[in-house]
Amino acid sequence: MTITIPQRNSLVQEYLWCIDSVIKQNYSLIQAARLDRDDVYQSLAVRLIRAVELYDPNNQAGKTLKNYIFMSLRYALRTCGGSQARYGFREAPYFLPNAVVSMEALEEADPYWEMRIAA
């Protein structure tokens, strides 16, 4: 199923409330993981857009769009803390295939970074 960008945007606006619902249901988990609520909201908003784009009623075995969105958002919530733990800095996207970090930032974070790469 292919949808146009205006259709996608309309569906995303219609289902934005799902993000608040997932955050509210899991707020204690978000606090325990020391995640910033705005960062979580942004990650879930990106996942909402992807869920609307990827939803295909023919391949979802009877799942409605709303159910698919909630399933996607709950999964995305579990991976929100991954960037911070994996890369050691906040506000990084979870998936960084072509990340670029300046030499100055590496030097500032770890003066011995060159030796670690060579090892």
Side-chain angles (χ1 to χ4, degrees), residues 9-27:
N9 292 346
S10 175
L11 286 170
V12 167
Q13 286 181 334
E14 183 180 336
Y15 286 99
L16 275 175
W17 65 270
C18 296
I19 296 172
D20 291 322
S21 178
V22 168
I23 288 175
K24 184 177 179 181
Q25 291 169 2
N26 298 283
Y27 195 70

Side-chain angles (χ1 to χ4, degrees), residues 54-94:
L54 296 174
Y55 178 73
D56 183 2
N58 299 324
N59 292 334
Q60 298 306 324
K63 286 185 187 139
T64 64
L65 177 58
K66 183 175 108 176
N67 290 343
Y68 183 73
I69 287 170
F70 271 109
M71 178 189 69
S72 297
L73 293 178
R74 287 183 188 116
Y75 176 77
L77 182 62
R78 283 188 262 150
T79 61
C80 279
S83 302
Q84 186 174 357
R86 183 186 251 176
Y87 301 105
F89 54 93
R90 294 178 58 95
E91 300 165 2
Y94 178 73

Side-chain angles (χ1 to χ4, degrees), residues 19-20 22-41 44 77 80:
I19 296 172
D20 291 322
V22 168
I23 288 175
K24 184 177 179 181
Q25 291 169 2
N26 298 283
Y27 195 70
S28 60
L29 174 66
I30 292 167
Q31 284 184 316
R34 294 187 174 136
L35 298 173
D36 182 66
R37 186 191 185 285
D38 291 336
D39 290 344
V40 171
Y41 190 94
L44 296 183
L77 182 62
C80 279

Side-chain angles (χ1 to χ4, degrees), residues 88-103:
F89 54 93
R90 294 178 58 95
E91 300 165 2
Y94 178 73
F95 182 65
L96 292 174
N98 300 314
V100 177
V101 178
S102 72
M103 300 288 212

